[in-house]
Amino acid sequence: MLWGLMSPISKLVLMGSVIGPMVLTSVRMIGAMLLFWLLSLFIKSSRVERKDHIKLLGAALLGLVINQTCFITGVNYTSPANASILATSMPLWAMLLSAFVLKDPLTLRKITGLILGSAGSIMLILSSSYKGSDTSGIIGDILVVTAQISYASYVVFYTHFIHKYPLLTIMKWMFTYASLIILPLSFFDIIKTDFAALSTLNIMGIAYIVVMSTFLSQLLILIAQKNLSPTITGMYNYIQPVIASVAAIALGLDVFNTIKLISVIMVFTGVFIVTSSKNTVVIHRLKENDKDEISVENKTEAAGK
């Protein structure tokens, strides 16, 4: 629900033309970084090995910088409903990358889900050209899809690494490196931004994006991952388009037409087919075994020291 509301709220903040996508992304990264570091003062976090900081830098680039920059910029050009619907395609891209990188077998069930979900996403992207003569809508949709591919790459390439440390430690350092990367890129935009011109509504929207849809949502995921299987946790993400569409329509930011409805059904069905695949469940169990093995290795290493 927190993520679903982020799309229409981000759209409202950007519509004010006071703050741009890059500045909003920077504020989100830096704000979340400060909150995670503040939390680490009260909750003990693990020390990161020097060699792993390079991996954390790469994780921040794929999982946060490219992902969030493309998403926020995409939301600026497309509708909140489109952005949230396309955001559900991430598991499909993760499955495709897993087949090539992790050698996860592509079953007929997975291929069917991939084709169905991709077709729904493409239909949604192409429908954006009907909004007017300019192509800003389709550019926005492509940016949102790029954000999902970036995050899927992070999930696939860092499948084993993210289990090496507590998630609070991972989040703290990922947001730190993301802030260091994004700040030079948005420095001149930040200087030009007249923050005093932001309305109270815009400030409340930015606060929601930083505290609720970034910091708090990540904390809730930390709790969920300790109590639920990855498949069940992922399935809850599919209410994002419903929340975003209802909010966007209520705010007068979007109209949910027949093409969007068909696209939603296709994407949801495709993602459900993929995430309910038996092979996917087996892989999740293997990941849990990897976590146990890493935990044993860390304890053995600590005992040796």
Side-chain angles (χ1 to χ4, degrees):
M1 292 176 66
L2 293 173
W3 279 340
L5 287 172
M6 187 180 71
S7 294
I9 290 176
S10 297
K11 186 74 173 181
L12 281 175
V13 172
L14 294 170
M15 282 175 63
S17 301
V18 176
I19 188 170
M22 287 295 292
V23 177
L24 182 58
T25 303
S26 299
V27 171
R28 184 184 183 191
M29 297 295 177
I30 296 171
M33 176 197 70
L34 294 175
L35 291 173
F36 276 117
W37 274 96
L38 180 63
L39 183 63
S40 68
L41 297 178
F42 303 95
I43 300 178
K44 188 177 180 180
S45 58
S46 300
R47 182 180 179 182
V48 178
E49 295 179 21
R50 187 173 300 178
K51 62 179 182 180
D52 287 335
H53 279 283
I54 300 297
K55 295 180 180 178
L56 284 168
L57 179 62
L61 191 62
L62 287 174
L64 294 175
V65 177
I66 298 176
N67 173 41
Q68 291 304 318
T69 301
C70 288
F71 183 81
I72 295 294
T73 306
V75 168
N76 190 41
Y77 292 113
T78 189
S79 69
N82 279 27
S84 291
I85 292 168
L86 291 172
T88 63
S89 67
M90 194 281 290
L92 300 176
W93 296 109
M95 183 208 71
L96 192 60
L97 285 170
S98 294
F100 291 99
V101 179
L102 303 178
K103 306 304 178 184
D104 179 18
L106 279 175
T107 62
L108 179 61
R109 185 184 182 90
K110 288 183 177 181
I111 293 174
T112 302
L114 177 63
I115 294 173
L116 194 61
S118 300
S121 298
I122 292 171
M123 182 186 298
L124 186 62
I125 292 174
L126 293 178
S127 70
S128 300
S129 61
Y130 302 148
K131 298 174 186 175
S133 57
D134 64 74
T135 58
S136 61
I138 191 170
I139 290 174
D141 288 343
I142 290 172
L143 284 171
V144 173
V145 170
T146 303
Q148 306 318 307
I149 295 174
S150 174
Y151 193 80
S153 300
Y154 156 70
V155 171
V156 171
F157 288 113
Y158 290 89
T159 296
H160 301 287
F161 177 75
I162 60 175
H163 297 306
K164 187 173 182 179
Y165 299 101
L167 288 174
L168 177 59
T169 302
I170 296 289
M171 288 293 107
K172 179 178 70 174
W173 283 106
M174 279 184 61
F175 273 97
T176 298
Y177 285 122
S179 299
L180 293 175
I181 295 171
I182 199 72
L183 191 57
L185 299 176
S186 59
F187 180 74
F188 291 105
D189 290 331
I190 293 174
I191 293 178
K192 296 177 183 178
T193 302
D194 184 11
F195 289 98
L198 287 170
S199 65
T200 302
L201 189 62
N202 285 338
I203 293 173
M204 291 174 62
I206 294 171
Y208 175 88
I209 293 169
V210 173
V211 179
M212 304 298 286
S213 66
T214 305
F215 175 70
L216 181 59
S217 64
Q218 292 293 345
L219 288 181
L220 293 177
I221 287 177
L222 298 184
I223 298 172
Q225 288 179 323
K226 291 181 180 294
N227 295 278
L228 299 172
S229 69
T231 301
I232 295 176
T233 305
M235 289 298 292
Y236 281 102
N237 288 328
Y238 308 145
I239 68 168
Q240 284 189 62
V242 179
I243 300 297
S245 296
V246 171
I249 292 171
L251 294 171
L253 296 175
D254 200 7
V255 177
F256 202 75
N257 54 33
T258 305
I259 295 178
K260 284 190 175 68
L261 178 60
I262 296 173
S263 301
V264 168
I265 294 173
M266 292 176 69
V267 172
F268 277 14
T269 304
V271 172
F272 176 77
I273 290 173
V274 171
T275 55
S276 61
S277 171
K278 291 182 180 179
N279 285 339
T280 303
V281 174
V282 170
I283 289 173
H284 290 327
R285 289 176 180 172
L286 289 174
K287 288 181 182 178
E288 292 300 319
N289 291 337
D290 288 338
K291 289 168 63 177
D292 294 337
E293 290 176 3
I294 291 171
S295 177
V296 171
E297 290 176 1
N298 289 341
K299 288 179 181 178
T300 304
E301 184 180 351
K305 290 181 180 179

